[in-house]
Amino acid sequence: MNDAPVSCLPTNAKMSKAKKVIDEAKEIKNPELDLADKNISSFEEMPGLFNMLNITRLSLSHNKLSANLVNLEILNLFNNQIEELPASLSSMPKLRIFNVGMNRLNSLPRGFGAFPVLEVLDLTYNNLNENSLPGNFFMLETLRALYLGDNDFEILPAEIGNLDLVGNKSVFRMDFNPWVTPISDQLQVGVSHVMDYIRTETYRYLYSRQMAARGPPPPKLNDKSRKISRLRQQS
């Protein structure tokens, strides 16, 4: 019986798919690289990806990537150009300190509040506002330091009062946002007064009216065009 010879050479179709796309992008110097839905499960399947200096937009959606950083306790992504965070971040079981300040975030991913032991979260110098926080963000029971300074917040969701951010060992920074007058007035007295105010029924009523109005935003109390994050994005 003359069966055709069977090759014993290893093949990696997944790497071939990704490598072909990467090689083509290199050849034409395409600034956008689409590796979505390529069944990629590791970064080793994308040789040369992180040496492509011309890439400005990268899509890796609908793959099987996992970070496997199960023992990571501190993650510092400060001063990059990150516009979106993967939802899988919150699956890191030991992450205590997360700094993603001075980036280009407009929102946080769904489920972001699932970090089991997160203590310090720095979101300073981004483009976040009262609509950017997912529902379970306010369930971060271990959070003791939250930095929201220099974003686009005008009001705060009433649920943020559920967080323990005014204790002796807690830190809550919210400066340089275009706050509405009631919050701005309370902030001049101190953050603890802001939190007390947010926990009142009066504020919950005002907050619900503000969100339901869907009208133009209140007058801003500072010039956001002068934000450090804005200046970086224009450069």
Side-chain angles (χ1 to χ4, degrees):
M1 182 175 180
N2 290 327
D3 291 334
V6 177
S7 173
C8 295
L9 295 174
T11 59
N12 193 332
K14 292 186 291 183
M15 179 178 287
S16 298
K17 275 185 181 181
K19 187 175 185 304
K20 181 180 179 182
V21 175
I22 291 172
D23 288 344
E24 290 176 351
K26 283 182 179 178
E27 185 176 347
I28 63 176
K29 296 184 178 180
N30 190 347
E32 299 187 5
L33 185 58
D34 186 0
L35 290 171
D37 200 19
K38 294 290 188 294
N39 199 32
I40 300 169
S41 58
S42 73
F43 288 100
E44 286 75 16
E45 296 168 24
M46 300 174 283
L49 173 63
F50 295 105
N51 294 324
M52 299 178 68
L53 302 180
N54 62 301
I55 293 297
T56 60
R57 183 176 295 274
L58 171 63
S59 176
L60 289 168
S61 61
H62 302 293
N63 281 292
K64 298 179 180 179
L65 288 169
S66 60
N68 293 324
L69 300 173
V70 293
N71 291 310
L72 193 68
E73 297 185 13
I74 300 174
L75 178 57
N76 189 346
L77 298 174
F78 184 82
N79 194 8
N80 282 284
Q81 299 180 15
I82 300 171
E83 298 182 0
E84 185 177 345
L85 293 172
S88 59
L89 270 178
S90 58
S91 64
M92 295 181 181
K94 296 184 180 181
L95 192 67
R96 296 184 301 104
I97 300 173
F98 183 27
N99 187 344
V100 68
M102 196 173 279
N103 278 283
R104 302 181 180 183
L105 296 175
N106 293 299
S107 64
L108 299 179
R110 185 177 181 181
F112 186 83
F115 290 102
V117 296
L118 190 66
E119 298 174 10
V120 179
L121 177 60
D122 193 340
L123 298 167
T124 313
Y125 302 126
N126 276 286
N127 303 311
L128 302 171
N129 59 47
E130 52 273 10
N131 297 310
S132 302
L133 308 178
N136 71 341
F137 182 88
F138 314 104
M139 299 171 64
L140 287 166
E141 296 181 355
T142 57
L143 194 65
R144 295 296 175 265
L146 176 61
Y147 298 85
L148 294 179
D150 205 331
N151 275 281
D152 296 338
F153 288 96
E154 297 173 346
I155 55 176
L156 282 171
E159 291 83 1
I160 206 165
N162 297 336
L163 301 178
D164 182 13
L165 296 173
V166 293
N168 293 332
K169 296 183 179 180
S170 299
V171 178
F172 185 23
R173 294 287 184 268
M174 48 191 290
D175 310 87
F176 304 111
N177 280 282
W179 299 113
V180 295
T181 300
I183 292 182
S184 180
D185 290 345
Q186 296 294 331
L187 186 57
Q188 291 182 24
V189 184
V191 171
S192 62
H193 290 265
V194 176
M195 295 299 284
D196 288 342
Y197 175 60
I198 286 173
R199 289 168 178 156
T200 65
E201 289 300 322
T202 299
Y203 179 78
R204 290 180 180 274
Y205 173 71
L206 292 174
Y207 175 76
S208 62
R209 283 190 60 187
Q210 176 82 14
M211 297 303 290
R214 299 183 181 273
K220 296 176 174 47
L221 302 180
N222 60 356
D223 182 3
K224 291 195 288 186
S225 67
R226 300 178 65 85
K227 284 179 58 177
I228 294 176
S229 51
R230 292 287 190 274
L231 296 174
R232 286 186 70 252
Q233 291 181 35
Q234 293 169 6
S235 62

